[in-house]
Amino acid sequence: MTSREKRRASLEHTLQQLRDVTNSTALSKASIIVDASKYIEELKQKIEGLNSELGIAESSTTSQIDELPMVIVKTLKKGFLINVLLEKNCPGMLVSILEAFEELGLDVLDARVSCEDSFQLEAIGRECHKKDSVDAQVVKQAVLRAIKNED
């Protein structure tokens, strides 16, 4: 197979993936791309709607500031979604939490952290080895211990 044929096959495969993701029935490249751009716009509108809902939720949680630290751990298909919110940031807080993940055998697949004034962490963790199964409550307790040790 020549280089040109490989590129063409790769492009066709990518276009087919794009059709699958966007539920497009188009056959031409241009139509597939138009459908994809419409799909992206729909996703943007959904995000705006969710963000506005979140804005309402955030305004109601400001009264819950006294309940900090807030640690929420949700079980995903293959891991956990971990959210941590602290009123103030302490040096070493992120390191302590990441060490707690490591002790549990969790690999951090994705994370967003803000350490400006308050401390906010959203991380996706997955068990890297299955010596002992870890559940959401175990992860939450480990994070709370890491926070307590840093205070």
Side-chain angles (χ1 to χ4, degrees), residues 137-151:
Q137 191 61 32
V138 171
V139 174
K140 181 176 182 174
Q141 292 304 318
V143 171
L144 287 169
R145 275 194 306 277
I147 292 168
K148 187 177 181 183
N149 291 341
E150 277 304 311
D151 280 346

Side-chain angles (χ1 to χ4, degrees), residues 53-88:
E53 285 179 29
L54 184 61
I56 293 167
E58 283 178 357
S59 65
S60 66
T61 57
T62 53
S63 62
Q64 299 173 351
I65 285 288
D66 297 334
E67 298 176 19
L68 296 179
M70 184 171 63
V71 178
I72 300 170
V73 180
K74 294 182 182 175
T75 304
L76 303 174
K77 215 175 199 178
K78 293 183 178 181
F80 303 97
L81 173 63
I82 303 125
N83 286 293
V84 179
L85 177 61
L86 301 169
E87 193 170 1
K88 63 184 179 88

Side-chain angles (χ1 to χ4, degrees), residues 60-130:
S60 66
T61 57
T62 53
S63 62
Q64 299 173 351
I65 285 288
D66 297 334
E67 298 176 19
L68 296 179
M70 184 171 63
V71 178
I72 300 170
V73 180
K74 294 182 182 175
T75 304
L76 303 174
K77 215 175 199 178
K78 293 183 178 181
F80 303 97
L81 173 63
I82 303 125
N83 286 293
V84 179
L85 177 61
L86 301 169
E87 193 170 1
K88 63 184 179 88
N89 183 32
C90 315
M93 182 63 67
L94 178 60
V95 172
S96 292
I97 293 172
L98 292 176
E99 286 173 346
F101 290 168
E102 188 174 325
E103 288 172 12
L104 292 173
L106 291 180
D107 283 336
V108 177
L109 303 177
D110 187 31
R112 282 182 276 180
V113 181
S114 173
C115 303
E116 191 71 27
D117 295 321
S118 62
F119 178 87
Q120 295 178 341
L121 166 70
E122 180 180 82
I124 297 176
R126 179 183 67 197
E127 290 181 84
C128 60
H129 51 321
K130 295 278 186 186

Side-chain angles (χ1 to χ4, degrees), residues 32-43:
I32 295 170
I33 293 171
V34 167
D35 287 348
S37 65
K38 287 177 184 176
Y39 181 72
I40 290 169
E41 288 303 316
E42 289 173 16
L43 290 176

